[in-house]
Amino acid sequence: MRRRSINIYSLLFITLILLSYTNKLHAQFYITSRSLKKEQPRIAFDSLTYTSVNNETVSGFGFVNPIDAKSIVFVKEKPKENVVKGWKDIKVKSATIYTSKLKDLSFKMLDLDPNLDSIQKKRILSTNYAIDDTIQVFFLRNIKGAIANSLRTLYYENSKARIFKDISSNYYATSQIVYFQKKEKPVYESDTYFLNYNNHKAFKKSVKRFFKTCPKIVENAQNGDYFPRSGKAFRKIADDYERYCEN
């Protein structure tokens, strides 16, 4: 079956459309008092499951609060009206958010053979323009340093370590900080250390501070490993921790 290739111009066009889409969504969240509007757009509510601070598992619809990323906005039933009222602001230990909005939108933007079925379209999309449709966020409450506790996205984990990033979206302020946990305890109970990727000097200083019991990691960082900020660097520092360091 014939497939049409996706060139760089198509991807650029999709990117611009998606940015426009998320910017419009962004504008609907905020008011000047830095609190959320009482009426939220239905499109903002994704299907999700969260774990409460009392370890209850609850399913419904919502999103991470964009004001401070310390809670989720939640409704139990799937919204039917264009605007959603009566939502709750809930503190959680973690949440798994299932979102297909951007992926569904990008399907419409791609110049794909109309004879392709949904599985083939998904395969082409994931190969050429990957968009996450499942996001896991965890509340990190024991962060070592002057960094606020809040929900962060789990980026990577292995048998000994977890790596978290700030929640990635046009309506969240992201930083050059990456968060590291030893996998000795559950996420909510673990100490969290931050790696400062604002510049190479700050990064090496933060590595030296938090990995002082693992000289191999410190040595590698001083030699230029794990920098600049990238997914490859995050995975490498976690995997080297698993290989060289004792919990």
Side-chain angles (χ1 to χ4, degrees):
M1 188 172 291
R2 182 173 62 90
R3 292 185 181 181
R4 296 182 183 178
S5 61
I6 306 172
N7 61 35
I8 187 65
Y9 299 105
S10 298
L11 296 183
L12 178 60
F13 178 68
I14 294 168
T15 302
L16 292 173
I17 291 295
L18 295 180
L19 287 175
S20 173
Y21 169 86
T22 50
N23 277 331
K24 290 178 181 178
L25 183 59
H26 169 210
Q28 299 180 73
F29 278 114
Y30 292 99
I31 60 175
T32 55
S33 63
R34 294 292 297 171
S35 61
L36 289 179
K37 296 178 181 179
K38 293 181 179 180
E39 298 181 352
Q40 289 295 318
R42 178 178 62 183
I43 196 172
F45 287 79
D46 287 310
S47 174
L48 62 79
T49 299
Y50 74 79
T51 300
S52 73
V53 293
N54 296 319
N55 291 319
E56 296 177 321
T57 300
V58 182
S59 296
F61 300 84
F63 52 91
V64 176
N65 190 328
I67 299 300
D68 58 12
K70 291 185 178 181
S71 59
I72 64 168
V73 172
F74 180 81
V75 292
K76 182 65 177 176
E77 303 297 330
K78 185 175 183 179
K80 296 180 180 179
E81 304 296 329
N82 289 331
V83 293
V84 181
K85 305 176 183 178
W87 48 265
K88 296 180 179 179
D89 193 57
I90 299 176
K91 301 288 186 182
V92 301
K93 283 187 175 180
S94 63
T96 301
I97 303 170
Y98 312 95
T99 177
S100 59
K101 295 185 183 71
L102 295 182
K103 186 162 285 190
D104 288 344
L105 181 65
S106 59
F107 275 141
K108 299 175 183 178
M109 298 298 104
L110 293 175
D111 183 21
L112 297 177
D113 189 327
N115 295 317
L116 296 176
D117 61 31
S118 60
I119 295 176
Q120 291 169 315
K121 289 180 180 179
K122 186 173 182 179
R123 185 181 302 118
I124 292 174
L125 180 62
S126 62
T127 300
N128 293 276
Y129 193 76
I131 302 173
D132 291 337
D133 58 1
T134 303
I135 303 168
Q136 289 184 288
V137 296
F138 294 83
F139 192 85
L140 307 185
R141 62 174 184 162
N142 298 318
I143 301 178
K144 301 300 182 182
I147 304 293
N149 298 333
S150 69
L151 291 162
R152 261 86 185 197
T153 303
L154 176 65
Y155 178 78
Y156 179 72
E157 63 180 339
N158 55 35
S159 66
K160 286 189 177 181
R162 305 181 187 100
I163 297 287
F164 299 86
K165 299 195 303 181
D166 285 322
I167 294 170
S168 179
S169 170
N170 277 21
Y171 51 85
Y172 296 107
T174 57
S175 70
Q176 295 300 307
I177 302 297
V178 171
Y179 309 88
F180 182 96
Q181 280 188 354
K182 301 175 183 179
K183 209 170 182 179
E184 300 170 327
K185 300 177 182 178
V187 173
Y188 193 68
E189 300 172 13
S190 294
D191 290 339
T192 303
Y193 305 89
F194 71 88
L195 303 178
N196 187 348
Y197 275 90
N198 279 287
N199 57 68
H200 203 179
K201 183 178 180 180
F203 172 74
K204 289 190 288 187
K205 185 177 180 179
S206 63
V207 169
K208 188 175 182 180
R209 180 185 304 118
F210 298 128
F211 292 95
K212 56 186 176 184
T213 60
C214 187
K216 184 62 175 178
I217 296 289
V218 176
E219 176 186 349
N220 288 349
Q222 295 300 315
N223 291 334
D225 284 5
Y226 321 127
F227 196 90
R229 191 177 190 273
S230 69
K232 182 178 179 180
F234 306 156
R235 292 189 296 272
K236 180 171 174 53
I237 196 168
D239 289 342
D240 280 358
Y241 181 84
E242 181 182 47
R243 180 179 180 184
Y244 298 116
C245 307
E246 295 292 334
N247 282 342

